């Protein structure tokens, strides 16, 4: 199975491909997988980065014959010519590109354009031409879809992962797809017979910074202050900045407070996940927390004040963080 099929395709029978989405790591991962599929094995691999290579270089690759007349698959990264930020001096090259893409059906080579931008300039004729003549693959993934996409991607690459291992991988990757893919690459190197279990994940994927900080707050919320202070000391020894720590505390407290408030107003777990745009696991943990919304609001206000006072130089040492944790 091609990884492209995991996402919305406009015409998956068309080999000319435009990969769209704001996540450059994911887009590059998907493009690399596609380019090295078995059906393209005999094609010469060529890469052009429009930020470091000139448009003239790109035009030359698109129009020149391949070495020994071998067909090419050309990956085009950072195609700024599809955005609104194109210098006037590039008009000649844009006209040439327009001519090429107007007659894309006459091109022997296969193209994979990777456009990792928030949005394209869809008013531009060149953009319209490419959108019309290419298979457009939209790789945008909502936070609550990360688990589904990860599971499908792992399966598509021929690996098996247990449900417990998948959940642990997502937790240790902060539910961020970039991090999930990076950690999955580690697991692929360590996996035996393409099987991934909980033990393999624990051995090869470390707790993330956010997870370590969440663990401090979770221990404090359960009144396990000895563990909370030990975890906090460990983070400070490893060089974590108090502002970074407070930012994670604030984020976690705010999530728990908002989730519980929405739940009290009659929203169910699924509705809260979609409204907040976060991973379902984080919402489940938030709703399972027994602390009252009044206490949460007070702690959040306290954390914001500490943040402000630290930035203004009122605190010189890290003890104020310990006092905050002990007050939870």
């Amino acid at each position: 199975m091609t990884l492209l099929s995991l996402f919305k395709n406009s015409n998956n029978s068309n080999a000319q491909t435009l990969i769209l989405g704001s996540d450059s790591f994911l887009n590059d991962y998907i493009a690399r997988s596609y380019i090295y599929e078995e059906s393209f094995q005999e094609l010469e691999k060529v890469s052009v980065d429009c930020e470091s290579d000139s448009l003239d270089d790109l035009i030359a690759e698109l129009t020149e014959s391949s070495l020994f007349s071998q067909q090419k698959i050309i990956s085009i990264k950072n195609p700024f010519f599809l955005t609104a930020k194109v210098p006037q001096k590039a008009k000649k090259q844009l006209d040439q590109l327009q001519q090429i893409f107007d007659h894309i059906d006459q091109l022997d080579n296969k193209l994979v354009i990777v456009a990792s931008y928030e949005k394209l300039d869809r008013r531009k004729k060149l953009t319209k031409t490419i959108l019309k003549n290419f298979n457009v693959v939209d790789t945008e993934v909502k936070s609550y879809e990360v688990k589904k996409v990860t599971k499908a991607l792992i399966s598509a690459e021929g690996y098996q992962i247990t449900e417990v291992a998948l959940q642990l991988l997502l937790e240790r990757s902060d539910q961020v797809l970039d991090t999930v893919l990076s950690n999955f690459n580690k697991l692929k190197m360590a996996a035996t017979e393409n099987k991934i279990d909980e033990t393999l994940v624990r051995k090869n994927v470390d707790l993330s910074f956010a997870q370590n900080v969440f663990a401090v707050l979770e221990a404090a919320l359960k009144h396990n202050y000895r563990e909370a202070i030990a975890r906090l000391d460990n983070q400070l020894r490893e060089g974590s900045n108090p502002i970074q720590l407070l930012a994670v505390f604030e984020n976690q407290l705010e999530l728990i407070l908002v989730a519980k408030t929405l739940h009290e107003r009659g929203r169910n777990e699924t509705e809260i996940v979609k409204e907040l745009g976060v991973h379902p696991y984080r919402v489940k943990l938030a709703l399972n927390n027994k602390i009252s919304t009044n206490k949460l609001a007070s702690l959040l206000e306290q954390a914001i004040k500490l943040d402000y006072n630290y930035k203004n130089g009122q605190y010189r040492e890290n003890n104020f963080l310990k006092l905050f944790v002990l007050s939870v």
Side-chain angles (χ1 to χ4, degrees):
M1 179 194 295
T2 171
L3 296 188
L4 292 182
S5 65
L6 302 179
F7 305 92
K8 183 180 178 182
N9 287 238
S10 64
N11 181 8
N12 55 20
S13 64
N14 184 358
Q16 309 295 7
T17 303
L18 169 64
I19 298 176
L20 280 180
S22 57
D23 190 332
S24 59
F25 188 95
L26 173 62
N27 292 344
D28 289 344
Y29 191 97
I30 299 299
R32 187 165 53 251
S33 170
Y34 180 61
I35 289 165
Y36 284 93
E37 283 185 6
E38 188 175 348
S39 57
F40 300 135
Q41 188 175 356
E42 302 300 322
L43 274 59
E44 179 187 351
K45 310 296 189 294
V46 177
S47 178
V48 179
D49 188 330
C50 296
E51 286 189 353
S52 55
D53 302 314
S54 70
L55 290 183
D56 288 329
D57 292 333
L58 172 60
I59 292 166
E61 287 293 350
L62 294 174
T63 56
E64 290 177 358
S65 299
S66 299
L67 186 64
F68 306 121
S69 298
Q70 184 183 1
Q71 192 179 15
K72 295 184 287 189
I73 183 166
I74 305 171
S75 63
I76 304 169
K77 289 186 63 176
N78 300 309
F80 66 86
F81 52 83
L82 298 180
T83 72
K85 298 179 180 179
V86 182
Q88 186 62 32
K89 64 181 181 180
K91 186 179 184 308
K92 176 184 175 183
Q93 288 91 338
L94 291 181
D95 290 341
Q96 290 176 292
L97 287 172
Q98 183 67 57
Q99 286 289 323
I100 293 169
F101 289 118
D102 275 339
H103 302 90
I104 190 71
D105 57 328
Q106 299 175 19
L107 198 67
D108 289 331
N109 301 318
K110 308 301 180 188
L111 308 183
V112 180
I113 302 178
V114 183
S116 302
Y117 301 110
E118 290 289 341
K119 61 180 180 179
L120 303 182
D121 186 353
R122 294 175 181 265
R123 301 165 300 174
K124 189 178 295 183
K125 183 181 178 183
L126 181 55
T127 305
K128 291 178 179 178
T129 300
I130 290 175
L131 289 172
K132 178 183 176 182
N133 294 329
F134 278 61
N135 175 30
V136 181
V137 182
D138 184 355
T139 63
E140 288 294 339
V141 177
K142 294 180 174 62
S143 57
Y144 58 83
E145 297 175 323
V146 171
K147 181 177 182 179
K148 179 182 70 174
V149 171
T150 300
K151 189 173 184 178
L153 188 147
I154 290 173
S155 176
E157 291 206 35
Y159 287 79
Q160 298 175 26
I161 186 168
T162 66
E163 189 65 25
V164 174
L166 175 62
Q167 187 60 55
L168 185 62
L169 171 61
L170 292 168
E171 289 173 23
R172 295 199 170 189
S173 304
D174 287 336
Q175 323 291 343
V176 176
L177 196 51
D178 278 9
T179 313
V180 171
L181 292 175
S182 179
N183 286 328
F184 175 47
N185 281 334
K186 297 178 190 176
L187 296 172
K188 286 194 289 188
M189 299 292 290
T192 302
E193 297 181 349
N194 287 12
K195 294 181 179 179
I196 300 170
D197 60 16
E198 181 184 3
T199 301
L200 192 73
V201 177
R202 290 193 183 279
K203 284 183 178 179
N204 293 278
V205 181
D206 296 329
L207 287 172
S208 68
F209 169 74
Q211 259 205 308
N212 276 309
V213 181
F214 286 165
V216 175
L217 190 58
E218 284 297 315
L221 288 169
K222 294 175 183 176
H223 304 300
N224 190 345
Y225 297 114
R226 187 185 297 275
E227 179 187 343
I229 294 300
R231 287 182 177 276
L232 178 60
D233 282 338
N234 188 51
Q235 287 301 304
L236 292 170
R237 276 195 303 270
E238 291 182 0
S240 296
N241 186 296
I243 295 298
Q244 291 177 303
L245 296 171
L246 275 171
V248 178
F249 286 154
E250 290 171 33
N251 177 275
Q252 183 71 345
L253 287 167
E254 184 177 20
L255 174 65
I256 298 172
L257 176 59
V258 173
K260 288 174 77 71
T261 300
L262 290 172
H263 191 255
E264 288 176 358
R265 293 176 180 175
R267 308 289 178 84
N268 62 37
E269 195 171 310
T270 302
E271 290 171 335
I272 295 171
V273 166
K274 290 190 175 180
E275 184 154 345
L276 298 184
V278 298
H279 193 275
Y281 182 74
R282 293 189 66 193
V283 172
K284 184 180 289 293
L285 286 180
L287 294 179
N288 286 340
N289 198 288
K290 302 302 181 184
I291 192 168
S292 70
T293 52
N294 286 338
K295 176 66 172 177
L296 284 166
S298 175
L299 286 171
L300 181 57
E301 183 180 0
Q302 186 181 344
I304 293 170
K305 285 181 179 178
L306 288 175
D307 192 330
Y308 177 80
N309 289 334
Y310 183 82
K311 289 175 180 176
N312 282 326
Q314 183 170 334
Y315 303 114
R316 300 293 181 185
E317 303 294 333
N318 297 324
N319 287 336
F320 76 98
L321 281 174
K322 295 182 181 181
L323 291 174
F324 171 73
V325 168
L326 292 171
S327 72
V328 172

